[in-house]
Amino acid sequence: MAGALNTPRRVALLGATGSIGTSTLDVIARHPDRFQVQALSAHSDVEKLVELCRQFRPACAVIADAARHAQLRDGLRAAGLATAALAGAQALVDIASDPESDTVVAAIVGAAGMASTLAAARKGKRLLLANKESVVLAGQVLVQAARESGAQILPIDSEHNAIFQCLPADGGRGGVRRLLLTASGGPFRGRSRQSLEKVTPDQACAHPKWVMGRKISVDSATLMNKGLEVIEAHHLFGLPAAAIEVLVHPQSIVHSLVDYVDGSVLAQLGNPDMRTALAHGLAWPERIDSGVAPLDLPALARLDFEAPDLGAFPCLALAYAALATGGTAPAILNAANEVAVASFLEGRLPFLGIPALLEATLAAIPAEPAGDLDVLMDCDQRARRQARELLNEMERA
Ligand code: NAD
Ligand code: MG
């Protein structure tokens, strides 16, 4: 196993320019003896990608937007870098599969990360999994692929990382009564549904505890993020929905808990900073410095917990319902949510239109048995088309 005195771990980081990508590189930069960046990817920000290449000297860089291939190639050349310039969706899969790297950080947002995340799982990589939408879309396929190839999935979502740390290390579930996923409650915690009618994208993205990309920030504001996380936990930890509960905890210090039948409850605590989970995943089973400040409990003085308000935030209930329905329902939910959130961020859909669009899409497309990945991907596309049509109808009404 790679450690400080052995060969460094070689890391492919997909979604390098995002919030998780930035935090990952911050941890990596603290341990140049342990980690070497093999590949970096970004969606469209060539300038930032070239800057990261200058800093981390990867063997290859991928710009997902293929129209910017020449711009990336010229930028790398102008910077005097030997980094190979690649572009397009297939190149993302290629760097996730490349035998030159042993670790893949899946930090692309949305189902756009599906193919590369799955490729890493199929190739037996250490997979640091932040891209939760892939798990919601095709969790069973992903977990099965990892099992067959021997890929080690290390959850990066802070709640799932906490649960991973609190579950028995042998992978057994004996004695586990429930998982308790904590939720900060987002920027609108305590508000009535009616009072949310006119909230803006900037208000929704002003998360009280975490600085994150805009899509997950809106998901946190609707509580859909927690709904996606319930589905994610079901797949990653193999427990039924009935054993996965959500607990609102506004301080975001307790990242999640595991309740055992003997009455023991194990929790993982820490300051709200994704570098803890990333350092855990990068070094596991060792522990390394992440740059996160030690927890000062006397300064915090108190930790609060409350039940989620499903009336004001119906997205969480929609996610539980999709999980109960099973088959393609979670894939439909995820696709409709991606369309709804993008439309809200563009100012085309009001905040309360998000759950409305999800419900309408789920009602319009009957769930089917999930079958294989093709069925799920096809369903993802169909749900996106349906959601866009419904959105147009809502706009005309
Ligand atoms: P972000 O928007 O900050 O970054 C997303 C990254 O993905 C960027 O590098 C972007 O260039 C790339 N990307 C976007 N669309 C793409 C496409 N179509 N093709 C290829 N690349 C594309 O998002 P983020 O907050 O870093 O979140 C990334 C993932 O991690 C999400 O799935 C999110 O739910 C999950 N996550 C994030 C946090 C957090 O604190 N930010 C916490 C838990 C889980
Ligand atoms: Mg989370």
Side-chain angles (χ1 to χ4, degrees):
M1 178 169 299
L5 301 175
N6 301 318
T7 42
R9 287 201 155 272
R10 285 166 302 164
V11 181
L13 169 55
L14 290 103
T17 50
S19 163
I20 291 287
T22 303
S23 294
T24 306
L25 291 171
D26 182 284
V27 176
I28 286 178
R30 291 166 195 276
H31 303 280
D33 53 335
R34 279 181 178 265
F35 308 110
Q36 185 185 315
V37 177
Q38 177 67 25
L40 294 173
S41 88
H43 183 217
S44 54
D45 191 342
V46 168
E47 221 170 289
K48 191 159 174 193
L49 182 58
V50 170
E51 184 46 44
L52 294 176
C53 290
R54 213 193 288 268
Q55 230 175 313
F56 291 94
R57 311 259 156 181
C60 36
V62 175
I63 196 80
D65 177 0
R68 298 175 199 253
H69 188 194
Q71 198 190 336
L72 175 63
R73 188 197 54 213
D74 297 347
L76 290 169
R77 205 176 288 162
L81 296 169
T83 303
L86 310 171
Q90 182 56 41
L92 296 172
V93 172
D94 292 344
I95 58 166
S97 317
D98 186 356
E100 288 299 318
S101 57
D102 48 66
T103 301
V104 172
V105 183
I108 290 175
V109 59
M114 183 74 240
S116 53
T117 302
L118 182 59
R122 284 183 171 149
K123 293 290 177 181
K125 306 286 185 182
R126 165 173 298 206
L127 175 54
L128 274 66
L129 183 51
N131 176 222
K132 70 185 84 185
E133 294 88 353
S134 291
V135 189
V136 174
L137 170 51
Q140 220 172 330
V141 176
L142 196 60
V143 167
Q144 179 72 21
R147 198 172 297 141
E148 283 169 11
S149 73
Q152 174 70 48
I153 296 180
L154 289 155
I156 294 305
D157 219 345
S158 55
E159 298 75 5
H160 307 74
N161 185 267
I163 289 166
F164 181 91
Q165 295 195 46
C166 296
L167 281 172
D170 65 5
R173 297 291 175 262
V176 173
R177 180 159 44 199
R178 329 170 269 176
L179 307 180
L180 291 165
L181 287 179
T182 52
S184 69
F188 305 138
R189 184 179 62 87
R191 304 244 318 234
S192 70
R193 184 161 187 192
Q194 204 189 356
S195 77
L196 298 173
E197 231 167 89
K198 296 214 158 67
V199 297
T200 66
D202 283 345
Q203 287 170 327
C205 289
H207 197 278
K209 293 291 168 196
W210 299 93
V211 181
M212 308 181 288
R214 282 171 82 78
K215 195 264 174 179
I216 184 176
S217 295
V218 175
D219 285 343
S220 298
T222 60
L223 283 202
M224 178 48 84
N225 183 48
K226 214 47 55 180
L228 300 177
E229 289 183 359
V230 167
I231 300 172
E232 182 184 11
H234 162 72
H235 289 298
L236 293 183
F237 305 119
L239 287 166
I244 305 171
E245 291 178 27
V246 171
L247 183 64
V248 174
H249 164 48
Q251 290 91 354
S252 297
I253 295 296
V254 178
H255 296 309
S256 277
L257 315 90
V258 178
D259 179 12
Y260 287 89
V261 289
D262 63 2
S264 300
V265 178
L266 301 192
Q268 186 257 0
L269 284 71
N271 286 314
D273 188 321
M274 291 308 293
R275 291 177 300 175
T276 296
L278 288 159
H280 173 265
L282 283 166
W284 181 85
E286 295 175 43
R287 297 275 181 177
I288 57 169
D289 174 36
S290 64
V292 177
L295 192 58
D296 185 348
L297 284 170
L300 283 160
R302 57 180 283 181
L303 300 174
D304 297 303
F305 300 95
E306 62 196 43
D309 179 353
L310 298 183
F313 302 99
C315 285
L316 179 55
L318 287 176
Y320 269 109
L323 182 53
T325 304
T328 55
I332 297 166
L333 177 82
N334 178 67
N337 185 55
E338 288 195 34
V339 172
V341 171
S343 310
F344 170 67
L345 286 170
E346 288 166 15
R348 288 182 60 191
L349 187 67
F351 188 74
L352 296 181
I354 298 174
L357 187 58
L358 302 190
E359 263 180 285
T361 311
L362 283 159
I365 304 181
E368 295 165 20
D372 55 17
L373 187 65
D374 290 342
V375 171
L376 290 163
M377 294 310 289
D378 181 60
C379 180
D380 170 85
Q381 290 303 315
R382 216 155 19 110
R384 279 167 209 271
R385 280 195 301 275
Q386 181 73 54
R388 286 193 198 102
E389 264 170 48
L390 288 163
L391 178 70
N392 290 337
E393 280 171 28
M394 283 161 100
E395 279 182 325
R396 280 197 297 268

